[in-house]
Amino acid sequence: MKPTIHEAVTPQQRHDVYRFRYDIYVEEMGRYRSVADHDQRIFCEPEDETARLYYATDGEQIVATMRHNWGGDAPLCARQVEQYDLARFLEEIPCEQMIVGERFMVAPSQRGTDLIFRLFQTYLAFVNEHRIQLIFGDCEPHLLNLYLGMGFRTYADRNVNSKETGYLVPLVMVPEDIGYMKQVKSPFVSLLQDYGDAANVPACLPKLLSSGRVVLSQTLTPQKEYQSEIEQAIQLAENPTHLFDGLSEDECQRCLSKSNAIECQAGDHLIKAGNVAQNMFAVLSGTLEVRSGDRVVDVCCSGDIVGEMAFLLESPRAADVYVATDGTRVLSLSESNLKKLSVDDPQLAAKLLL
């Protein structure tokens, strides 16, 4: 049976959503253990009190959920204003034309299906109806290309360092900027209303998005400009070990496909032990610490690779990795691209991994 999507309105429906969150976030992913209700086996937050909650059910059980906090229902909370750096947006754009979307999750049995698209279909129908100008959210580095392909953009001066989830990249979508959505070939173009000259694209948007350069994406940057910046970062490194030694320009471009250069600050929790992400990070500059509990077991500097064991063994992260110095830059290499290289060009993949 194809899952059907509903809004959680009754107390029981909302309780069932919180229970599903517990199953996915706490039990499967090992997150939010310090704030979840282990007696009732639920995970709910203060933001849920004024949020619209949606869920999908296969007829027997919940298989996906999402939450959005709309400024037209209630003011966005202090945590969201700080996390998404909303103060500067709120100075220019009415709160009722903003949404913060969080707690998207899908059961293992439905991952890889069209359910995430159908959830967004419900989400964007609300966006169209209320002429929402900005949709905020975040993602982990290994999901960044997926969200950029949907039409989200990076914008923040620094990323989010969450104790429970680790390292997150703030994102924003401008749903009525149809030209941009077509440019990135977003699968949501058909779901969004094209208002033409009457589009509600904020005039202040270029100014609001221009400051965020903590993420440089290969997906959204001209190839030569992107590769030049990565090459320059490697050459300026204190330990100029070249990740792409022995590779041709074309091979370098293929290895860099879907990669992202990310600037971090001291204390950022880049990799969380137990996380299922399998992307690898190359250190471009600065220092990372690999920790087991409170003990530092390794230090990684420019030229080093971290996260390779999760990729090679297809297993959860074995250790925590923290950023030790401000301005540390890492190159996040796409797991899907590396796996594709392993199939299409195993010789090139072997060169890179060696």
Side-chain angles (χ1 to χ4, degrees):
M1 177 181 178
K2 197 163 189 175
T4 54
I5 299 171
H6 314 270
E7 183 174 357
V9 178
T10 69
Q12 184 60 53
Q13 289 170 339
R14 295 174 81 87
H15 182 274
D16 291 343
V17 166
Y18 304 148
R19 177 62 187 270
F20 178 73
R21 277 191 204 161
Y22 187 94
D23 291 342
I24 300 298
Y25 273 135
V26 182
E27 292 201 325
E28 179 187 348
M29 299 183 175
R31 301 177 182 173
Y32 301 105
R33 293 189 184 278
S34 65
V35 293
D37 184 334
H38 302 291
D39 293 330
Q40 296 191 68
R41 298 176 62 78
I42 62 173
F43 170 43
C44 61
E45 300 168 284
E47 292 85 343
D48 292 312
E49 294 180 10
T50 57
R52 295 175 185 246
L53 306 181
Y54 297 88
Y55 66 96
T57 175
D58 63 3
E60 296 182 358
Q61 57 188 359
I62 291 180
V63 293
T65 66
M66 64 178 177
R67 173 179 82 202
H68 72 240
N69 289 93
W70 175 40
D73 285 329
L76 300 172
C77 72
R79 191 272 300 173
Q80 291 171 330
V81 171
E82 179 181 1
Q83 179 166 322
Y84 299 104
D85 191 18
L86 299 184
R88 57 195 174 101
F89 292 91
L90 289 167
E91 290 177 356
E92 305 277 354
I93 300 165
C95 185
E96 59 268 22
Q97 292 183 335
M98 297 185 192
I99 280 181
V100 174
E102 297 175 314
R103 304 296 172 256
F104 281 75
M105 64 195 75
V106 178
S109 63
Q110 293 293 324
R111 292 170 193 167
T113 70
D114 69 345
L115 185 52
I116 188 70
F117 180 84
R118 293 176 58 230
L119 283 169
F120 266 100
Q121 189 171 23
T122 301
Y123 191 5
L124 295 178
F126 181 91
V127 166
N128 287 334
E129 179 183 355
H130 295 277
R131 300 294 303 271
I132 304 300
Q133 293 190 48
L134 300 175
I135 302 172
F136 292 92
D138 55 31
C139 73
E140 295 181 62
H142 74 286
L143 295 174
L144 185 54
N145 289 297
L146 171 66
Y147 279 87
L148 293 177
M150 292 178 181
F152 284 91
R153 317 182 202 191
T154 59
Y155 67 91
D157 289 321
R158 70 162 296 161
N159 294 323
V160 177
N161 181 30
S162 166
K163 178 181 177 181
E164 293 289 350
T165 62
Y167 200 66
L168 301 170
V169 180
L171 301 167
V172 64
M173 179 188 287
V174 188
E176 293 193 23
D177 191 350
I178 300 298
Y180 181 82
M181 301 297 280
K182 289 180 177 179
Q183 177 187 328
V184 299
K185 300 179 181 178
S186 168
F188 300 143
V189 169
S190 62
L191 304 180
L192 294 168
Q193 180 69 46
D194 188 349
Y195 293 96
D197 292 339
N200 230 358
V201 179
C204 57
L205 189 66
K207 179 185 73 173
L208 294 173
L209 299 185
S210 64
S211 60
R213 290 286 291 176
V214 294
V215 176
L216 183 68
S217 172
Q218 184 271 340
T219 303
L220 302 181
T221 308
Q223 180 62 49
K224 288 187 176 180
E225 177 185 335
Y226 182 80
Q227 187 161 341
S228 173
E229 179 142 350
I230 300 303
E231 292 280 347
Q232 184 179 24
I234 292 173
Q235 291 167 8
L236 293 175
E238 294 177 10
N239 173 26
T241 303
H242 202 308
L243 179 65
F244 305 115
D245 273 345
L247 302 186
S248 68
E249 183 175 346
D250 176 67
E251 288 175 327
C252 287
Q253 290 179 2
R254 293 170 64 192
C255 291
L256 286 170
S257 178
K258 298 182 180 179
S259 65
N260 299 284
I262 303 172
E263 183 177 321
C264 311
Q265 301 302 317
D268 284 348
H269 195 173
L270 184 64
I271 294 178
K272 184 176 176 63
N275 192 296
V276 297
Q278 295 176 4
N279 60 315
M280 297 192 299
F281 293 96
V283 184
L284 297 176
S285 63
T287 308
L288 304 178
E289 291 181 347
V290 182
R291 299 182 191 174
S292 177
D294 294 329
R295 185 168 61 94
V296 176
V297 297
D298 197 8
V299 175
C300 301
C301 302
S302 53
D304 290 335
I305 296 286
V306 293
E308 75 281 7
M309 296 309 296
F311 173 79
L312 293 170
L313 300 178
E314 297 186 345
S315 62
R317 303 295 196 187
D320 291 294
V321 177
Y322 287 85
V323 177
T325 54
D326 283 339
T328 292
R329 293 188 78 194
V330 296
L331 179 68
S332 176
L333 295 169
S334 164
E335 169 197 347
S336 62
N337 183 57
L338 293 177
K339 288 184 174 179
K340 186 174 186 299
L341 279 179
S342 299
V343 173
D344 296 345
D345 193 340
Q347 185 175 5
L348 173 57
K351 276 186 190 179
L352 176 66
L353 293 172
L354 288 174

